[in-house]
Amino acid sequence: MIELNKLDLWNDMWNGAFDLADKICSAEFTIFFGRDASTHSGDDITDPAQLKTFIREFRTSLNDDLEFTVVRKFVEPGADFAVSLWNLRIGSDRVVGGIDVFEFDDADRIRKVHSVTGQRGIPE
């Protein structure tokens, strides 16, 4: 059974608790970002260590002045996937929202994520 707190831990990881990647992600982790792949290397990530490096570099590129918050989480009983809606505050005046769709392995670790960032925040 998928634990929704894994989605909270995912959020915490993006907020700077990088080592959570080792706890919540499968050794064969991958992620797909919906934005133009020529602007980032995220689609090349194949394990938690590369994910931690990517998140550190992402945060540094925005001067570490950002905060992710979970808006809503969804999981159907018996499903092997979950969905998280989130907002990202960048600096003091910009908020964008996004959606992550998670696939899990047999050990209930995050195996794959499809992530899309929108142009505006998601209402809470």
Side-chain angles (χ1 to χ4, degrees):
M1 179 178 198
I2 298 169
E3 299 173 31
L4 284 178
N5 75 332
K6 288 252 172 67
L7 306 186
D8 292 325
L9 295 175
W10 174 263
N11 185 74
D12 294 345
M13 180 186 65
W14 279 91
N15 279 329
F18 308 117
D19 288 338
L20 285 172
D22 298 317
K23 176 179 179 179
I24 64 173
C25 296
S26 169
E28 295 83 32
F29 175 84
T30 61
I31 189 165
F32 171 82
F33 291 101
R35 63 183 178 188
D36 181 1
S38 69
T39 65
H40 65 86
S41 62
D43 293 348
D44 297 331
I45 294 170
T46 60
D47 63 38
Q50 291 174 344
L51 176 63
K52 290 188 286 189
T53 299
F54 179 85
I55 295 171
R56 278 189 190 98
E57 290 172 356
F58 173 75
R59 293 188 63 85
T60 299
S61 75
L62 295 171
N63 299 316
D64 211 26
D65 188 16
L66 54 128
E67 179 184 18
F68 289 87
T69 55
V70 176
V71 177
R72 282 186 283 295
K73 303 175 281 188
F74 306 94
V75 62
E76 292 294 322
D80 60 354
F81 69 93
V83 176
S84 176
L85 302 179
W86 48 267
N87 282 327
L88 168 60
R89 180 201 44 80
I90 305 168
S92 61
D93 60 348
R94 184 170 176 218
V95 176
V96 297
I99 183 170
D100 290 342
V101 179
F102 299 87
E103 295 177 25
F104 294 83
D105 65 14
D106 292 337
D108 196 29
R109 294 171 70 117
I110 300 169
R111 182 177 60 83
K112 185 170 192 159
V113 178
H114 290 84
S115 184
V116 178
T117 303
Q119 299 297 313
R120 60 186 181 143
I122 296 173
E124 297 191 31

